[in-house]
Amino acid sequence: MVHFVGAGPGATDLITVRGAKLLQQADTVIYAGSLVNPELLQLCRSECRVYDSARLTLEEVLQIMADAEKQGHLTVRLHTGDPSVYGAIREQMDALDQMGIAYSVTPGVSSFCGAAAAAKAEYTLPGVSQTVILTRMEGRTPVPERERLKELASHGASMAIFLSAGMLDAVQAELLKGAYTDTTPAAIVYKATWPDERVLRCTVGTLAETGRRHSIRKTALVLVGDFLSGGYERSRLYAPEFTTAFRKGTEQE
């Protein structure tokens, strides 16, 4: 059987308990070597076969899975963050379906969660933003026309931009075509939860210059939105006057 496992954003203790147990049991591990913290491989048994998918094509990855299945091996496909976000797992699952190989998916902590933790921020603030957009800048990999950055920026919602640290000039230009302004708060979070994590606070207008000044070209998320500023409304859920299913509030009906 093949288990797709989310490795988390970087810190080795942010993999889930289930994911760690699967790594400890695995006979074969295929990991995203360009992104996954290699220290996680220390959980593997000495006899476990380990492959770095950064050097492989999809077809080669699938062949390793098929060969392992013939030998009755438990295979872990270790992806960074959560496999469902930019993990390219759908094409692997479809191929496994065609081959009749069973699989499961173990979720992980996404880097957009790790980035918010690093920035000590909350994406969804009452009176500020109740929507989080996860997206990427169009580059060698295209995006649908309706999902281009300038279109998504029109909402002015909280945004986490993946896989775009090497295109900050273009990111900045596209964001400014939407609801964001030069003074909208932004942050570049480099290697969230890793030992060398850095949080670079800036504005949309200074985004590209901040990246250049700190030599950020990859392995970083761009956070954008007023959730990074100080203003918001108090949550009603914990307000004394607000009645919930668990307590009576002071507010008169």
Side-chain angles (χ1 to χ4, degrees):
M1 186 170 180
V2 175
H3 297 274
F4 294 95
V5 173
T12 55
D13 56 354
L14 283 179
I15 191 172
T16 64
V17 173
R18 182 189 299 177
K21 287 182 177 178
L22 286 169
L23 274 180
Q24 291 166 348
Q25 298 166 7
D27 303 298
T28 298
V29 169
I30 309 166
Y31 76 107
S34 60
L35 298 167
V36 169
N37 190 336
E39 290 185 17
L40 284 169
L41 300 177
Q42 295 177 12
L43 294 171
C44 300
R45 296 177 295 120
S46 59
E47 61 269 31
C48 178
R49 299 177 183 176
V50 178
Y51 300 87
D52 181 356
S53 65
R55 305 175 184 278
L56 303 173
T57 64
L58 171 62
E59 288 74 16
E60 290 169 329
V61 168
L62 293 171
Q63 188 60 58
I64 292 169
M65 292 178 176
D67 292 342
E69 188 69 13
K70 290 176 183 177
Q71 298 174 62
H73 284 187
L74 186 157
T75 298
V76 167
R77 177 66 168 109
L78 191 62
H79 283 271
T80 187
D82 181 90
S84 68
V85 182
Y86 301 112
I89 64 169
R90 175 62 186 271
E91 58 194 20
Q92 297 174 76
M93 293 189 294
D94 286 348
L96 292 175
D97 283 335
Q98 293 174 5
M99 291 187 284
I101 296 175
Y103 58 86
S104 73
V105 181
T106 296
V109 178
S110 174
S111 58
F112 86 91
C113 299
K120 295 181 173 61
E122 180 182 350
Y123 290 113
T124 51
L125 291 174
V128 177
S129 175
Q130 293 293 291
T131 301
V132 185
I133 296 174
L134 309 181
T135 191
R136 63 174 297 167
M137 180 70 191
E138 181 177 28
R140 289 193 301 170
T141 300
V143 300
E145 178 72 30
R146 66 185 181 278
E147 294 183 17
R148 288 187 172 172
L149 202 53
K150 67 178 181 180
E151 303 296 334
L152 298 178
S154 67
H155 298 288
S158 302
M159 188 178 289
I161 306 171
F162 289 69
L163 305 168
S164 305
M167 300 178 283
L168 292 179
D169 284 292
V171 168
Q172 178 176 319
E174 291 301 293
L175 291 174
L176 290 173
K177 293 176 184 177
Y180 307 115
T181 69
D182 281 333
T183 60
T184 299
I188 302 171
V189 183
Y190 174 77
K191 298 190 75 171
T193 81
W194 291 69
D196 50 347
E197 165 191 286
R198 283 190 286 167
V199 179
L200 308 174
R201 296 182 183 274
C202 56
T203 65
V204 171
T206 60
L207 185 63
E209 175 55 32
T210 300
R212 277 192 292 273
R213 189 165 65 249
H214 294 275
S215 301
I216 302 296
R217 298 182 182 86
K218 60 180 180 179
T219 327
L221 262 72
V222 175
L223 308 185
V224 180
D226 288 328
F227 74 96
L228 291 167
S229 64
Y232 60 92
E233 297 174 8
R234 177 172 170 168
S235 167
R236 295 194 67 197
L237 180 61
Y238 297 106
E241 68 274 11
F242 195 63
T243 297
T244 72
F246 302 96
R247 62 178 175 82
K248 177 70 174 176
T250 60
E251 185 177 56
Q252 294 188 6
E253 297 180 0

